[in-house]
Amino acid sequence: MHSCRNGFSKNPKDLVIAKVGSRNLFKSQISDMIIPGTSPTDSAAIVDGFVQNWIRENLMIVEAEKNIAADINLNKLVDDYRSSLLVYNFEKRLVDKNLDTIISNAEQKVYYEENKNQYLLSHPIVRCIISKIPARQQEMRAIRTALNKSDLTEAMFLVKEKSVYHHIDLEKWMSFEDLRSLIPVDMVPQGSIKSGKVYEKNEGEFYFFVKIIGFYDEKQIPPFEYIKSKITKTILSQRKNNLLKQYRAKLYENGITNGDFEIFE
């Protein structure tokens, strides 16, 4: 593709296909847009769409140039933006190369114990077993009995085998609202929810069971597992900030040692 910038092409034979003010769109700028094998109709539609978008964008640019505020230093804005991009990309490469991303479970738990009061729940959460089965007495009795046992091995097997829908991930916490969306209305009243309790309800041709494995109400401190991913992100963010802070401090110290800057009084 030929080089085009600010409406000018280095190739004098390059055709102009659209123009807004002094800004030109050249044929070379769209020559690579069409994938070989594209039908003429589709090719025309792709080009037309690009041209229309280019016109709308450049009409806005021209309008902005005509109405730029008198107190805006455009060159300074451009220079500041360029500097920000340079620093952002350098810091990103610095972090990608030097950031230690390995976080031990022990470190996560220490952070949890020291900061758990910052993570009070905004809504109730539950761990549970959910089973939706055809309303047949034999299956209903078997699952009811198994769910009321302390050892849930049999219950997990029956729920998985007999249910038309089931949730048996005992490690997964879900919001109470998510639970309610999966079961009949008012099957599990929030005010009376209790760990270990089995709830059941008939709805049409199906029968629902819910066994509550764990429950935390809103404004309580959540379990470690529920906020583990947030803790990981927070620790990595702190490490990143410390890495960049230390690099800037070292850069400044080296600047003093090497005479890289001067302060004039």
Side-chain angles (χ1 to χ4, degrees), residues 86-100 236-252:
L86 285 171
V87 171
Y88 171 79
N89 281 280
F90 175 71
E91 288 185 340
K92 185 177 184 303
R93 287 189 287 113
L94 192 67
V95 168
D96 289 344
K97 182 179 179 181
N98 297 288
L99 184 65
D100 179 9
L236 287 176
S237 178
Q238 290 178 348
R239 288 184 182 179
K240 172 186 172 182
N241 291 336
N242 289 335
L243 173 67
L244 295 176
K245 183 178 180 180
Q246 290 169 10
Y247 189 89
R248 285 175 178 265
K250 184 177 180 181
L251 193 64
Y252 186 81

Side-chain angles (χ1 to χ4, degrees), residues 17-228:
I17 59 173
K19 183 180 180 71
V20 173
S22 62
R23 294 171 172 270
N24 298 320
L25 176 63
F26 293 92
K27 186 176 181 180
S28 63
Q29 292 175 265
I30 62 171
S31 60
D32 293 338
M33 292 181 58
I34 308 303
I35 300 173
T38 306
S39 70
T41 302
D42 290 342
S43 297
I46 292 170
V47 170
D48 183 63
F50 180 85
V51 170
Q52 291 300 321
N53 286 335
W54 182 91
I55 289 172
R56 286 177 170 81
E57 180 67 19
N58 280 271
L59 283 171
M60 194 66 178
I61 292 171
V62 170
E63 188 69 12
E65 288 175 339
K66 288 191 294 186
N67 292 278
I68 189 168
D71 60 342
I72 290 181
N73 186 333
L74 192 58
N75 288 333
K76 183 178 183 303
L77 288 176
V78 171
D79 189 54
D80 289 346
Y81 182 61
R82 178 180 179 278
S83 298
S84 296
L85 284 178
L86 285 171
V87 171
Y88 171 79
N89 281 280
F90 175 71
E91 288 185 340
K92 185 177 184 303
R93 287 189 287 113
L94 192 67
V95 168
D96 289 344
K97 182 179 179 181
N98 297 288
L99 184 65
D100 179 9
T101 58
I102 298 174
I103 305 173
S104 69
N105 202 55
E107 183 178 359
Q108 290 174 318
K109 287 189 174 180
V110 167
Y111 183 91
Y112 171 78
E113 291 299 329
E114 293 177 349
N115 299 278
K116 57 188 176 184
N117 288 326
Q118 299 178 21
Y119 295 92
L120 299 182
L121 290 167
S122 60
H123 54 267
I125 58 173
V126 297
R127 282 191 299 126
C128 61
I129 295 174
I130 305 172
S131 173
K132 175 183 178 182
I133 63 171
R136 294 192 289 266
Q137 289 298 321
Q138 185 175 356
E139 283 86 352
M140 289 161 54
R141 282 195 301 270
I143 291 178
R144 181 184 297 116
T145 300
L147 285 174
N148 278 287
K149 294 179 180 179
S150 57
D151 183 350
L152 294 173
T153 305
E154 181 186 5
M156 301 276 277
F157 173 79
L158 288 172
V159 166
K160 188 174 182 179
E161 183 181 60
K162 304 295 184 181
S163 302
V164 294
Y165 168 80
H166 68 269
H167 170 80
I168 55 174
D169 185 352
L170 301 186
E171 301 301 317
K172 180 178 175 61
W173 291 91
M174 67 172 69
S175 71
F176 186 72
E177 286 303 311
D178 285 343
L179 169 61
R180 292 181 66 180
S181 70
L182 298 171
I183 59 178
V185 177
D186 297 328
M187 178 181 171
V188 181
Q190 183 176 339
S192 64
I193 193 168
K194 183 179 178 182
S195 294
K197 188 171 181 179
V198 177
Y199 300 83
E200 49 186 280
K201 187 171 185 177
N202 178 248
E203 185 174 74
E205 299 178 353
F206 298 99
Y207 205 82
F208 289 79
F209 288 96
V210 173
K211 173 152 187 173
I212 305 298
I213 307 300
F215 172 74
Y216 285 82
D217 209 343
E218 61 181 317
K219 296 185 179 179
Q220 285 189 312
I221 296 172
F224 169 72
E225 293 79 10
Y226 185 70
I227 59 172
K228 186 176 180 180

